[in-house]
Amino acid sequence: MYKVLSENIGEEIEKLISKAMSVSICSPFISESKVMEIVEKRHIDFKLVFKLCKQSPDSVVMHLAKDYPNQIHFYLDGDNFHSKMIIIDDQFIIVGSSNFTNGGLYQ
């Protein structure tokens, strides 16, 4: 079964992760977002892959590196990687063009 999400992507992801046990996120850019707030607040087991570049704020990168060193993986700015994907409980996968930032998910 599949579902096409074109509107309210952030809200749909929030609903799914609000009940999740594990989340894997792959995005070229990471910033403070409602999605990451829910993941951290609920202490969900997560893995995060993102690009280490100027679009990923130093404060967010440092926070994740300090608090979740074994759960984050990053690649360098020169690497050609632009995929966006989230896997929830190994049951749901969302692939798209939206970055996992508030701007990408809610605007």
Side-chain angles (χ1 to χ4, degrees):
M1 183 173 112
Y2 66 92
K3 181 177 181 180
V4 176
L5 302 176
S6 60
E7 296 180 4
N8 304 318
I9 296 168
E11 286 87 0
E12 289 288 335
I13 292 172
E14 285 180 40
K15 286 179 196 174
L16 290 171
I17 64 173
S18 68
K19 302 171 188 167
M21 299 300 290
S22 68
V23 175
S24 297
I25 298 172
C26 179
S27 179
F29 312 118
I30 191 70
S31 67
E32 294 177 8
S33 70
K34 292 178 187 176
V35 169
M36 283 305 297
E37 286 176 23
I38 294 169
V39 167
E40 289 187 82
K41 184 184 247 184
R42 291 201 55 244
H43 304 287
I44 297 170
D45 180 36
F46 78 95
K47 292 181 179 78
L48 175 63
V49 177
F50 64 96
K51 188 183 232 179
L52 194 58
C53 62
K54 63 183 178 185
Q55 286 86 357
S56 298
D58 290 344
S59 59
V60 174
V61 173
M62 295 304 292
H63 162 69
L64 292 168
K66 179 180 174 251
D67 293 349
Y68 307 101
N70 298 320
Q71 293 161 277
I72 65 165
H73 306 278
F74 59 86
Y75 55 97
L76 300 176
D77 196 17
D79 294 341
N80 188 13
F81 181 81
H82 204 69
S83 300
K84 291 104 172 177
M85 174 178 61
I86 183 168
I87 302 170
I88 302 166
D89 287 338
D90 292 330
Q91 294 182 18
F92 303 98
I93 184 168
I94 299 169
V95 179
S97 61
S98 296
N99 289 312
F100 290 96
T101 62
N102 282 338
L105 295 176
Y106 298 97
Q107 295 181 4

XYZ file of all heavy atoms in Angstrom:
859
model
N 0.842 -1.172 0.000
C 0.000 0.000 0.000
C 0.891 1.240 0.000
O 1.942 1.260 0.609
C -0.884 0.010 1.238
C -1.834 1.171 1.268
S -2.998 1.039 2.635
C -2.442 2.379 3.619
N 0.475 2.274 -0.703
C 1.216 3.510 -0.703
C 0.247 4.685 -0.625
O -0.936 4.556 -0.919
C 2.114 3.634 -1.933
C 1.362 3.750 -3.233
C 1.039 5.003 -3.744
C 0.978 2.621 -3.945
C 0.332 5.125 -4.920
C 0.279 2.736 -5.130
C -0.040 3.989 -5.616
O -0.731 4.109 -6.791
N 0.800 5.816 -0.223
C 0.000 7.029 -0.110
C 0.855 8.179 -0.635
O 2.025 8.286 -0.294
C -0.361 7.268 1.359
C -1.203 8.482 1.607
C -1.551 8.580 3.091
C -2.421 9.778 3.379
N -2.747 9.882 4.794
N 0.284 8.998 -1.467
C 0.989 10.162 -2.001
C 0.714 11.343 -1.075
O -0.443 11.682 -0.824
C 0.543 10.484 -3.441
C 1.212 11.755 -3.938
C 0.833 9.314 -4.363
N 1.782 11.932 -0.569
C 1.656 13.100 0.299
C 2.094 14.326 -0.480
O 3.225 14.403 -0.932
C 2.540 12.959 1.537
C 2.315 11.755 2.420
C 3.352 11.727 3.536
C 0.924 11.792 3.009
N 1.222 15.275 -0.653
C 1.600 16.505 -1.340
C 1.346 17.732 -0.471
O 1.872 18.790 -0.736
C 0.843 16.634 -2.667
O -0.544 16.657 -2.432
N 0.537 17.564 0.541
C 0.247 18.647 1.476
C 0.368 18.106 2.891
O 0.240 16.913 3.134
C -1.169 19.184 1.255
C -1.380 19.813 -0.099
C -2.802 20.320 -0.269
O -3.594 20.246 0.689
O -3.117 20.783 -1.370
N 0.621 18.987 3.824
C 0.700 18.614 5.238
C 1.711 17.509 5.489
O 1.490 16.632 6.321
C -0.682 18.204 5.767
C -1.719 19.281 5.556
O -1.446 20.458 5.758
N -2.897 18.889 5.135
N 2.819 17.539 4.785
C 3.834 16.494 4.930
C 4.360 16.454 6.363
O 4.479 15.388 6.963
C 4.983 16.718 3.927
C 4.455 16.584 2.500
C 6.121 15.752 4.177
C 5.418 17.063 1.441
N 4.653 17.612 6.922
C 5.156 17.674 8.287
C 4.184 17.073 9.283
O 4.574 16.301 10.161
N 2.903 17.396 9.132
C 1.897 16.871 10.055
C 1.755 15.354 9.920
O 1.597 14.649 10.919
C 0.537 17.547 9.822
C 0.471 18.974 10.323
C 0.954 19.994 9.296
O 1.341 19.593 8.176
O 0.969 21.188 9.609
N 1.829 14.837 8.698
C 1.743 13.384 8.490
C 2.927 12.676 9.142
O 2.762 11.641 9.795
C 1.693 13.051 6.995
C 0.411 13.429 6.325
C -0.755 12.521 6.711
O -0.529 11.359 7.093
O -1.900 12.987 6.624
N 4.117 13.240 8.981
C 5.302 12.649 9.602
C 5.186 12.714 11.119
O 5.515 11.760 11.823
C 6.590 13.331 9.099
C 6.801 13.002 7.616
C 7.794 12.900 9.917
C 7.925 13.766 6.956
N 4.703 13.838 11.649
C 4.514 13.965 13.097
C 3.600 12.863 13.628
O 3.885 12.265 14.668
C 3.908 15.328 13.447
C 4.876 16.473 13.363
C 4.211 17.792 13.722
O 3.392 17.813 14.667
O 4.500 18.792 13.057
N 2.493 12.602 12.946
C 1.557 11.550 13.380
C 2.244 10.198 13.432
O 2.070 9.436 14.389
C 0.360 11.470 12.430
C -0.630 12.587 12.563
C -1.754 12.408 11.548
C -2.552 13.664 11.380
N -3.551 13.543 10.308
N 3.021 9.906 12.409
C 3.701 8.606 12.356
C 4.765 8.472 13.443
O 4.841 7.444 14.113
C 4.318 8.385 10.974
C 3.336 8.153 9.828
C 4.068 8.182 8.490
C 2.606 6.831 10.011
N 5.571 9.509 13.640
C 6.645 9.372 14.626
C 6.143 9.525 16.055
O 6.832 9.114 16.982
C 7.832 10.321 14.363
C 7.436 11.781 14.494
C 8.471 10.023 13.029
C 8.606 12.728 14.413
N 4.949 10.083 16.237
C 4.429 10.216 17.601
C 4.146 8.852 18.221
O 4.044 8.731 19.438
C 3.172 11.080 17.625
O 2.108 10.424 16.984
N 4.047 7.813 17.397
C 3.810 6.452 17.873
C 4.986 5.529 17.595
O 4.928 4.344 17.895
C 2.565 5.883 17.191
C 1.314 6.698 17.420
C 0.184 6.212 16.550
C -0.992 7.160 16.657
N -1.983 6.936 15.628
N 6.048 6.058 17.016
C 7.157 5.233 16.532
C 8.099 4.775 17.641
O 8.220 5.418 18.684
C 7.952 6.000 15.493
N 8.756 3.672 17.367
C 9.822 3.169 18.241
C 11.194 3.496 17.644
O 12.171 3.641 18.361
C 9.692 1.657 18.420
C 8.383 1.227 19.071
S 8.158 1.916 20.711
C 9.386 1.009 21.612
N 11.263 3.587 16.301
C 12.526 3.904 15.646
C 12.289 4.739 14.399
O 11.269 4.606 13.734
C 13.282 2.627 15.277
O 12.597 1.919 14.269
N 13.249 5.610 14.130
C 13.170 6.505 12.979
C 14.568 6.643 12.384
O 15.531 6.849 13.114
C 12.654 7.905 13.391
C 12.683 8.870 12.225
C 11.262 7.826 13.979
N 14.652 6.520 11.075
C 15.901 6.790 10.355
C 15.618 7.912 9.370
O 14.665 7.840 8.594
C 16.378 5.548 9.599
O 16.678 4.515 10.500
N 16.450 8.936 9.417
C 16.259 10.104 8.566
C 17.516 10.334 7.747
O 18.625 10.311 8.274
C 15.961 11.373 9.399
C 14.671 11.203 10.194
C 15.898 12.606 8.508
C 14.391 12.328 11.187
N 17.318 10.583 6.476
C 18.408 10.904 5.563
C 18.027 12.185 4.845
O 16.976 12.235 4.193
C 18.581 9.745 4.584
S 19.872 10.017 3.405
N 18.825 13.224 5.005
C 18.502 14.513 4.406
C 19.795 15.294 4.207
O 20.680 15.237 5.058
C 17.563 15.288 5.327
O 17.255 16.552 4.786
N 19.910 16.023 3.096
C 21.136 16.790 2.909
C 21.299 17.904 3.941
O 22.414 18.269 4.275
C 21.014 17.356 1.494
C 19.582 17.282 1.164
C 19.005 16.164 1.964
N 20.188 18.407 4.446
C 20.260 19.502 5.417
C 19.478 19.132 6.663
O 18.437 18.501 6.590
C 19.682 20.793 4.827
C 20.208 21.101 3.465
C 19.364 21.156 2.375
C 21.565 21.310 3.268
C 19.850 21.429 1.109
C 22.065 21.580 2.009
C 21.207 21.634 0.929
N 19.990 19.554 7.801
C 19.298 19.336 9.071
C 19.291 20.669 9.816
O 20.240 21.442 9.735
C 19.964 18.217 9.910
C 19.099 17.811 11.080
C 21.363 18.604 10.359
C 17.855 17.075 10.706
N 18.218 20.951 10.481
C 18.135 22.144 11.322
C 17.146 21.832 12.440
O 16.615 20.736 12.508
C 17.672 23.362 10.508
O 16.345 23.206 10.087
N 16.924 22.802 13.299
C 15.913 22.602 14.325
C 14.580 22.390 13.619
O 14.246 23.103 12.680
C 15.844 23.809 15.241
C 17.103 24.000 16.055
C 17.051 25.243 16.921
O 15.988 25.889 17.013
O 18.086 25.563 17.502
N 13.843 21.393 14.041
C 12.553 21.131 13.403
C 11.622 20.459 14.399
O 12.066 19.859 15.376
C 12.726 20.241 12.172
O 13.078 18.933 12.551
N 10.337 20.549 14.126
C 9.339 19.900 14.967
C 9.543 18.388 14.973
O 9.365 17.734 15.992
C 7.930 20.235 14.474
C 7.534 21.669 14.661
C 6.139 21.927 14.101
C 5.791 23.383 14.120
N 4.488 23.640 13.501
N 9.934 17.849 13.829
C 10.151 16.401 13.733
C 11.261 15.972 14.691
O 11.093 15.036 15.478
C 10.477 15.990 12.284
C 10.958 14.558 12.211
C 9.260 16.192 11.389
N 12.400 16.658 14.678
C 13.497 16.286 15.577
C 13.125 16.547 17.038
O 13.547 15.811 17.921
C 14.780 17.032 15.207
C 15.485 16.458 13.991
S 15.861 14.681 14.121
C 16.980 14.644 15.510
N 12.320 17.569 17.302
C 11.866 17.820 18.675
C 11.075 16.626 19.202
O 11.263 16.209 20.346
C 10.990 19.077 18.732
C 11.755 20.365 18.609
C 10.824 21.585 18.583
O 9.680 21.489 19.086
O 11.245 22.624 18.059
N 10.189 16.077 18.368
C 9.394 14.917 18.790
C 10.295 13.710 19.007
O 10.164 12.992 20.003
C 8.296 14.602 17.752
C 7.263 15.731 17.700
C 7.610 13.270 18.074
C 6.299 15.638 16.537
N 11.224 13.487 18.096
C 12.150 12.352 18.220
C 12.915 12.444 19.535
O 13.018 11.472 20.287
C 13.117 12.305 17.018
C 14.269 11.346 17.266
C 12.364 11.917 15.740
N 13.447 13.627 19.842
C 14.223 13.797 21.073
C 13.344 13.721 22.318
O 13.712 13.092 23.308
C 14.971 15.130 21.040
C 16.116 15.124 20.050
C 16.948 16.380 20.145
O 17.824 16.432 21.033
O 16.711 17.310 19.343
N 12.192 14.350 22.286
C 11.307 14.367 23.457
C 10.828 12.967 23.829
O 10.740 12.613 24.995
C 10.096 15.275 23.175
C 9.162 15.441 24.352
C 7.955 16.274 23.963
C 8.001 17.575 24.711
N 6.813 18.409 24.462
N 10.519 12.160 22.827
C 10.005 10.800 23.071
C 11.128 9.771 23.244
O 10.859 8.614 23.475
C 9.097 10.369 21.912
C 7.800 11.151 21.860
C 6.718 10.451 21.091
N 6.471 9.103 21.587
C 6.678 7.986 20.866
N 7.137 8.047 19.654
N 6.424 6.812 21.385
N 12.369 10.205 23.104
C 13.519 9.296 23.223
C 13.411 8.128 22.245
O 13.677 6.980 22.590
C 13.687 8.792 24.660
C 13.808 9.901 25.642
N 14.941 10.672 25.760
C 12.920 10.404 26.538
C 14.758 11.585 26.691
N 13.535 11.449 27.183
N 13.001 8.437 21.027
C 12.878 7.431 19.982
C 14.273 7.036 19.514
O 15.151 7.887 19.347
C 12.062 7.998 18.794
C 10.631 8.325 19.235
C 12.061 7.034 17.609
C 9.834 9.102 18.216
N 14.471 5.752 19.300
C 15.726 5.281 18.725
C 15.813 5.848 17.307
O 14.918 5.621 16.491
C 15.749 3.755 18.701
C 17.031 3.207 18.104
O 18.103 3.814 18.328
O 16.951 2.185 17.398
N 16.862 6.608 17.008
C 16.947 7.202 15.687
C 18.358 7.151 15.129
O 19.337 7.047 15.863
C 16.425 8.643 15.693
C 17.391 9.653 16.256
C 18.224 10.366 15.406
C 17.451 9.903 17.619
C 19.116 11.296 15.920
C 18.324 10.835 18.133
C 19.164 11.535 17.284
N 18.395 7.199 13.817
C 19.639 7.354 13.074
C 19.411 8.524 12.133
O 18.334 8.698 11.590
C 19.959 6.086 12.284
C 20.311 4.923 13.164
C 20.644 3.705 12.316
C 21.012 2.539 13.183
N 19.884 1.871 13.796
N 20.458 9.308 11.945
C 20.348 10.503 11.132
C 21.577 10.629 10.244
O 22.703 10.542 10.722
C 20.230 11.724 12.050
C 20.221 13.105 11.430
C 19.003 13.287 10.532
C 20.220 14.160 12.527
N 21.354 10.789 8.958
C 22.428 11.038 7.995
C 22.148 12.398 7.374
O 21.041 12.651 6.905
C 22.460 9.958 6.886
C 23.537 10.273 5.863
C 22.656 8.576 7.482
N 23.143 13.273 7.387
C 22.960 14.607 6.830
C 24.287 15.148 6.318
O 25.349 14.608 6.602
C 22.347 15.566 7.855
C 23.225 15.819 9.056
C 24.049 16.925 9.101
C 23.213 14.950 10.131
C 24.863 17.160 10.207
C 24.007 15.175 11.246
C 24.833 16.274 11.284
N 24.184 16.218 5.575
C 25.350 16.857 4.974
C 25.958 17.858 5.955
O 25.241 18.635 6.579
C 24.916 17.569 3.704
C 26.042 18.125 2.874
C 25.461 18.864 1.668
C 26.084 18.361 0.414
N 25.536 19.027 -0.775
N 27.257 17.814 6.100
C 27.966 18.779 6.927
C 28.319 19.967 6.033
O 29.272 19.919 5.258
C 29.222 18.137 7.519
C 29.908 18.866 8.650
C 28.964 19.074 9.817
C 31.136 18.100 9.105
N 27.484 21.002 6.114
C 27.645 22.155 5.226
C 27.056 23.388 5.904
O 26.478 23.306 6.986
C 26.963 21.900 3.889
S 25.173 21.662 4.024
N 27.171 24.522 5.241
C 26.711 25.776 5.845
C 25.196 25.818 6.059
O 24.714 26.558 6.898
C 27.159 26.971 5.010
C 26.583 27.014 3.620
C 27.134 28.181 2.835
C 26.568 28.152 1.418
N 27.149 29.184 0.601
N 24.429 25.002 5.319
C 22.978 24.983 5.504
C 22.563 24.210 6.755
O 21.426 24.291 7.176
C 22.280 24.386 4.277
C 22.266 25.297 3.084
C 23.532 25.180 2.244
O 24.462 24.451 2.571
N 23.584 25.916 1.161
N 23.467 23.421 7.313
C 23.202 22.723 8.577
C 23.862 23.543 9.677
O 25.084 23.546 9.807
C 23.785 21.303 8.534
O 23.170 20.540 7.523
N 23.091 24.281 10.469
C 23.648 25.212 11.456
C 24.596 24.542 12.450
O 24.332 23.434 12.924
C 22.419 25.756 12.178
C 21.274 25.501 11.258
C 21.628 24.271 10.493
N 25.699 25.225 12.742
C 26.698 24.699 13.674
C 26.082 24.307 15.011
O 26.446 23.289 15.596
C 27.808 25.725 13.913
C 28.684 25.934 12.702
O 28.646 25.096 11.771
O 29.419 26.946 12.673
N 25.145 25.117 15.512
C 24.558 24.835 16.831
C 23.810 23.502 16.817
O 23.874 22.732 17.784
C 23.610 25.955 17.256
O 22.555 26.110 16.314
N 23.112 23.192 15.734
C 22.373 21.934 15.623
C 23.350 20.772 15.478
O 23.219 19.745 16.148
C 21.387 21.981 14.435
C 20.733 20.626 14.221
C 20.341 23.053 14.658
N 24.360 20.940 14.635
C 25.358 19.887 14.430
C 26.078 19.580 15.743
O 26.248 18.412 16.108
C 26.369 20.286 13.331
C 27.508 19.283 13.243
C 25.665 20.420 11.982
N 26.486 20.609 16.472
C 27.199 20.407 17.735
C 26.314 19.725 18.774
O 26.762 18.844 19.504
C 27.743 21.735 18.271
C 28.809 22.357 17.384
S 30.206 21.258 17.068
C 30.927 21.161 18.680
N 25.070 20.125 18.851
C 24.123 19.493 19.781
C 23.984 18.002 19.469
O 24.069 17.163 20.366
C 22.763 20.191 19.700
C 21.633 19.393 20.261
N 21.496 19.123 21.612
C 20.590 18.785 19.651
C 20.419 18.378 21.797
N 19.852 18.163 20.629
N 23.762 17.677 18.204
C 23.603 16.272 17.822
C 24.882 15.482 18.055
O 24.843 14.356 18.563
C 23.185 16.172 16.352
C 21.785 16.694 16.030
C 21.600 16.822 14.525
C 20.717 15.798 16.635
N 26.027 16.061 17.719
C 27.306 15.366 17.905
C 27.590 15.118 19.377
O 28.108 14.060 19.748
C 28.427 16.179 17.270
N 27.233 16.061 20.218
C 27.477 15.931 21.663
C 26.516 14.932 22.308
O 26.923 14.062 23.067
C 27.337 17.292 22.331
C 27.543 17.272 23.833
C 27.384 18.669 24.416
C 27.441 18.619 25.910
N 26.173 18.870 26.559
N 25.240 15.060 22.008
C 24.222 14.262 22.691
C 23.933 12.914 22.040
O 23.424 12.006 22.706
C 22.917 15.052 22.804
C 23.048 16.252 23.733
O 24.065 16.353 24.445
O 22.131 17.091 23.738
N 24.233 12.775 20.752
C 23.889 11.544 20.026
C 25.029 11.089 19.114
O 24.813 10.838 17.932
C 22.622 11.765 19.190
C 21.466 12.295 19.989
C 21.130 13.640 19.956
C 20.722 11.443 20.799
C 20.068 14.126 20.708
C 19.656 11.929 21.552
C 19.344 13.275 21.498
O 18.298 13.753 22.238
N 26.240 10.955 19.638
C 27.387 10.665 18.758
C 27.283 9.353 17.987
O 27.838 9.242 16.898
C 28.573 10.641 19.726
C 27.974 10.312 21.051
C 26.611 10.965 21.046
N 26.589 8.381 18.509
C 26.488 7.090 17.830
C 25.282 6.989 16.905
O 25.091 5.971 16.247
C 26.432 5.954 18.850
C 27.691 5.891 19.679
O 28.791 6.072 19.167
N 27.540 5.664 20.971
N 24.481 8.022 16.868
C 23.259 7.967 16.071
C 23.297 8.875 14.855
O 22.398 8.824 14.031
C 22.052 8.321 16.959
C 21.807 7.248 18.014
C 20.954 7.773 19.143
O 21.450 8.396 20.059
N 19.658 7.536 19.043
N 24.326 9.694 14.747
C 24.404 10.583 13.595
C 25.584 10.195 12.712
O 26.609 9.708 13.182
C 24.505 12.070 13.989
C 25.807 12.354 14.726
C 23.308 12.493 14.806
C 26.129 13.828 14.820
N 25.381 10.392 11.443
C 26.419 10.171 10.441
C 26.307 11.336 9.467
O 25.210 11.764 9.125
C 26.181 8.851 9.701
C 26.049 7.698 10.634
N 27.131 7.044 11.171
C 24.952 7.108 11.161
C 26.709 6.090 11.970
N 25.386 6.111 11.998
N 27.431 11.849 9.060
C 27.373 12.958 8.129
C 28.348 12.737 6.990
O 29.249 11.922 7.073
C 27.643 14.295 8.828
C 28.975 14.385 9.504
C 30.108 14.771 8.791
C 29.093 14.085 10.848
C 31.332 14.845 9.417
C 30.316 14.162 11.484
C 31.442 14.540 10.763
N 28.113 13.438 5.928
C 29.003 13.411 4.788
C 29.417 14.840 4.497
O 28.789 15.795 4.966
C 28.358 12.720 3.582
C 27.037 13.290 3.177
C 26.953 14.219 2.157
C 25.864 12.920 3.832
C 25.736 14.756 1.791
C 24.643 13.456 3.463
C 24.594 14.369 2.447
O 23.383 14.902 2.092
N 30.482 14.996 3.747
C 31.064 16.310 3.542
C 30.387 17.058 2.401
O 29.790 16.460 1.505
C 32.562 16.192 3.285
C 33.330 15.538 4.430
C 34.795 15.377 4.058
C 33.177 16.326 5.720
N 30.524 18.361 2.445
C 29.861 19.252 1.502
C 30.149 18.893 0.046
O 29.297 19.022 -0.804
C 30.281 20.697 1.792
C 29.371 21.710 1.133
O 28.260 21.350 0.736
O 29.787 22.872 1.029
N 31.337 18.410 -0.254
C 31.685 18.094 -1.635
C 31.047 16.820 -2.159
O 30.994 16.589 -3.361
N 30.576 15.971 -1.264
C 29.955 14.717 -1.683
C 28.632 14.996 -2.380
O 27.863 15.854 -1.974
C 29.716 13.801 -0.487
C 31.019 13.338 0.154
O 32.061 13.421 -0.517
O 30.978 12.898 1.305
N 28.344 14.247 -3.419
C 27.119 14.441 -4.172
C 26.021 13.535 -3.613
O 25.926 12.378 -3.977
C 27.353 14.141 -5.653
C 26.173 14.509 -6.507
O 25.266 15.203 -6.072
N 26.170 14.043 -7.736
N 25.243 14.078 -2.743
C 24.175 13.317 -2.099
C 23.037 14.283 -1.808
O 23.230 15.273 -1.127
C 24.696 12.701 -0.800
C 23.666 11.883 -0.087
C 23.408 10.586 -0.477
C 22.962 12.410 0.975
C 22.461 9.834 0.185
C 22.015 11.664 1.639
C 21.768 10.366 1.246
N 21.870 14.005 -2.345
C 20.774 14.954 -2.158
C 19.454 14.247 -1.842
O 18.380 14.815 -1.957
C 20.630 15.824 -3.410
C 19.984 17.139 -3.126
N 20.585 18.134 -2.396
C 18.773 17.616 -3.469
C 19.780 19.161 -2.297
N 18.665 18.884 -2.934
N 19.521 13.004 -1.425
C 18.310 12.225 -1.141
C 17.641 12.681 0.146
O 18.302 13.123 1.080
C 18.659 10.746 -1.001
O 19.232 10.280 -2.184
N 16.324 12.541 0.175
C 15.546 12.808 1.375
C 14.654 11.609 1.631
O 13.879 11.206 0.769
C 14.662 14.050 1.223
C 15.449 15.333 1.157
C 15.485 15.809 -0.233
C 16.110 17.205 -0.286
N 16.228 17.679 -1.642
N 14.793 11.034 2.824
C 14.050 9.820 3.126
C 13.896 9.692 4.640
O 14.766 10.094 5.397
C 14.840 8.625 2.585
C 14.286 7.284 2.941
S 15.244 5.942 2.209
C 16.851 6.191 2.926
N 12.784 9.137 5.054
C 12.578 8.812 6.458
C 11.952 7.421 6.515
O 11.047 7.106 5.747
C 11.709 9.870 7.181
C 11.576 9.556 8.659
C 10.368 10.021 6.535
C 10.977 10.693 9.482
N 12.487 6.592 7.391
C 11.959 5.246 7.601
C 11.464 5.193 9.041
O 12.197 5.524 9.964
C 13.033 4.169 7.372
C 13.594 4.265 5.960
C 12.455 2.777 7.643
C 14.812 3.404 5.717
N 10.226 4.775 9.214
C 9.602 4.760 10.533
C 9.241 3.332 10.888
O 8.451 2.691 10.191
C 8.359 5.676 10.554
C 8.771 7.106 10.163
C 7.680 5.640 11.917
C 7.636 8.016 9.821
N 9.844 2.834 11.965
C 9.580 1.482 12.478
C 9.725 0.391 11.412
O 9.074 -0.649 11.494
C 8.175 1.392 13.091
C 8.081 2.102 14.418
O 9.129 2.291 15.071
O 6.964 2.468 14.805
N 10.576 0.619 10.433
C 10.765 -0.354 9.347
C 9.447 -0.744 8.692
O 9.329 -1.808 8.091
C 11.497 -1.606 9.837
C 12.942 -1.317 10.200
O 13.535 -0.405 9.589
O 13.469 -1.998 11.087
N 8.431 0.103 8.813
C 7.117 -0.165 8.224
C 6.703 0.902 7.225
O 5.959 0.619 6.296
C 6.046 -0.257 9.311
C 6.212 -1.424 10.227
C 5.082 -1.467 11.253
O 4.038 -0.856 11.081
N 5.312 -2.191 12.323
N 7.129 2.116 7.459
C 6.760 3.233 6.602
C 8.025 3.869 6.055
O 8.993 4.037 6.788
C 5.975 4.299 7.377
C 4.733 3.787 8.034
C 4.735 3.443 9.376
C 3.560 3.654 7.304
C 3.591 2.975 9.988
C 2.414 3.183 7.911
C 2.429 2.839 9.250
N 7.991 4.227 4.799
C 9.100 4.964 4.200
C 8.521 6.150 3.444
O 7.523 6.014 2.734
C 9.968 4.081 3.289
C 11.157 4.866 2.763
C 9.160 3.500 2.159
C 12.209 4.015 2.101
N 9.115 7.290 3.668
C 8.699 8.502 2.971
C 9.913 8.993 2.207
O 10.971 9.230 2.786
C 8.199 9.576 3.951
C 6.980 9.046 4.716
C 7.873 10.866 3.216
C 6.555 9.899 5.887
N 9.761 9.113 0.913
C 10.817 9.592 0.033
C 10.276 10.808 -0.691
O 9.135 10.806 -1.163
C 11.213 8.507 -0.993
C 12.290 9.013 -1.928
C 11.661 7.237 -0.288
N 11.066 11.860 -0.759
C 10.567 13.046 -1.437
C 11.636 14.082 -1.647
O 12.831 13.816 -1.484
N 11.206 15.265 -1.969
C 12.143 16.352 -2.239
C 12.230 17.353 -1.091
O 13.050 18.255 -1.127
C 11.744 17.076 -3.525
O 10.460 17.631 -3.385
N 11.413 17.191 -0.059
C 11.412 18.127 1.063
C 12.544 17.822 2.033
O 12.728 16.683 2.445
C 10.088 18.050 1.831
O 9.031 18.456 1.020
N 13.302 18.866 2.392
C 14.306 18.701 3.438
C 13.596 18.544 4.773
O 12.485 19.025 4.965
C 15.232 19.914 3.486
C 16.147 19.975 2.292
O 16.765 18.984 1.930
N 16.227 21.130 1.671
N 14.238 17.881 5.722
C 13.652 17.685 7.040
C 14.004 18.859 7.941
O 14.681 18.735 8.949
C 14.083 16.333 7.621
C 13.450 15.195 6.881
C 14.129 14.566 5.864
C 12.162 14.802 7.165
C 13.533 13.551 5.145
C 11.558 13.787 6.447
C 12.242 13.162 5.436
N 13.501 20.000 7.504
C 13.613 21.257 8.251
C 12.190 21.804 8.348
O 11.301 21.352 7.626
C 14.496 22.267 7.490
O 13.880 22.565 6.224
C 15.904 21.730 7.252
N 11.978 22.748 9.220
C 10.628 23.333 9.312
C 10.209 23.937 7.975
O 9.079 23.778 7.543
C 10.565 24.373 10.430
C 10.454 23.728 11.795
O 10.035 22.592 11.933
N 10.870 24.448 12.815
N 11.125 24.616 7.294
C 10.807 25.208 6.005
C 10.442 24.164 4.963
O 9.524 24.345 4.174
N 11.156 23.045 4.969
C 10.905 22.002 3.993
C 9.627 21.229 4.245
O 8.996 20.743 3.312
N 9.244 21.085 5.492
C 8.093 20.252 5.841
C 6.799 21.025 6.047
O 5.718 20.451 5.936
C 8.392 19.445 7.101
C 9.508 18.419 6.982
C 9.767 17.762 8.333
C 9.170 17.365 5.934
N 6.897 22.295 6.378
C 5.691 23.023 6.770
C 5.376 24.234 5.899
O 4.432 24.951 6.188
C 5.801 23.465 8.233
C 5.921 22.293 9.168
C 7.162 21.874 9.615
C 4.793 21.591 9.578
C 7.272 20.774 10.472
C 4.900 20.508 10.417
C 6.145 20.107 10.866
O 6.245 19.029 11.693
N 6.138 24.478 4.860
C 5.842 25.651 4.016
C 5.584 25.240 2.597
O 5.938 24.241 2.132
C 6.988 26.648 4.069
C 7.135 27.229 5.445
C 8.263 28.246 5.503
O 8.889 28.577 4.520
N 8.523 28.732 6.699
